């Protein structure tokens, strides 16, 4: 999981499965790896950041072992949620089901276009 923009880490859950970020221009994002993966208590996750860290677009934030997550019976679907979307004129998600590092995930519009990348 890589930083989708320049900004800062707001929170990292103790179970390491979710990270909250805010971009330098105010876009708030929650990246939640897997479904119900909080129950794994951090086992298949390796953090590369911490709360209050300043990040640049593309910085490695988190690694996870998808096979270990699946083996324990959990999905690796990873919701990426813009938590303050009401502050923007439009949030346009791209329709891909899977993305790789560097691909656009969404555009956030408020006067000028901002992108959130994988």
């Amino acid at each position: 999981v890589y930083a989708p923009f320049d900004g800062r880490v707001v929170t990292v859950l103790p179970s390491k499965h979710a990270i909250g970020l805010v971009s330098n221009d105010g876009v708030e994002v929650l990246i939640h790896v897997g479904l119900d993966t909080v129950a794994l208590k951090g086992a298949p996750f390796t953090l590369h950041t911490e709360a209050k860290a300043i990040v640049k677009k593309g910085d490695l934030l988190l690694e996870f072992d998808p096979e270990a997550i699946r083996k324990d019976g959990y999905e690796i679907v990873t919701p990426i949620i813009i938590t303050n979307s009401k502050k923007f004129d439009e949030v346009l998600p791209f329709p891909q089901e899977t993305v790789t590092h560097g691909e656009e995930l969404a555009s956030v519009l408020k006067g000028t276009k901002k992108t959130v990348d994988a």
Side-chain angles (χ1 to χ4, degrees):
V1 176
Y2 299 90
F5 42 60
D6 293 349
R8 67 182 166 83
V9 177
V10 176
T11 190
V12 177
L13 277 100
S15 54
K16 306 177 193 174
H17 77 289
I19 297 175
L21 306 160
V22 63
S23 72
N24 289 342
D25 49 5
V27 179
E28 297 173 5
V29 171
L30 173 66
I31 302 171
H32 189 285
V33 178
L35 301 178
D36 297 322
T37 50
V38 66
L40 296 172
K41 300 179 181 170
F45 303 99
T46 303
L47 285 173
H48 295 279
T49 194
E50 60 189 8
K52 300 182 183 176
I54 302 300
V55 295
K56 295 285 184 191
K57 181 177 177 178
D59 286 353
L60 180 61
L61 302 174
L62 169 70
E63 292 179 281
F64 61 95
D65 182 344
E67 293 309 314
I69 293 170
R70 285 188 192 108
K71 182 180 171 200
D72 285 335
Y74 298 95
E75 296 286 332
I76 61 164
V77 172
T78 302
I80 301 168
I81 303 156
I82 298 174
T83 59
N84 65 338
S85 60
K86 289 183 180 183
K87 289 187 173 185
F88 301 97
D89 296 333
E90 255 184 297
V91 175
L92 305 169
F94 291 88
Q96 310 92 292
E97 287 190 25
T98 59
V99 294
T100 58
H101 175 56
E103 290 183 324
E104 286 187 6
L105 294 172
S107 290
V108 178
L109 304 167
K110 184 172 186 177
T112 60
K113 178 180 171 182
K114 314 278 188 265
T115 61
V116 176
D117 294 342

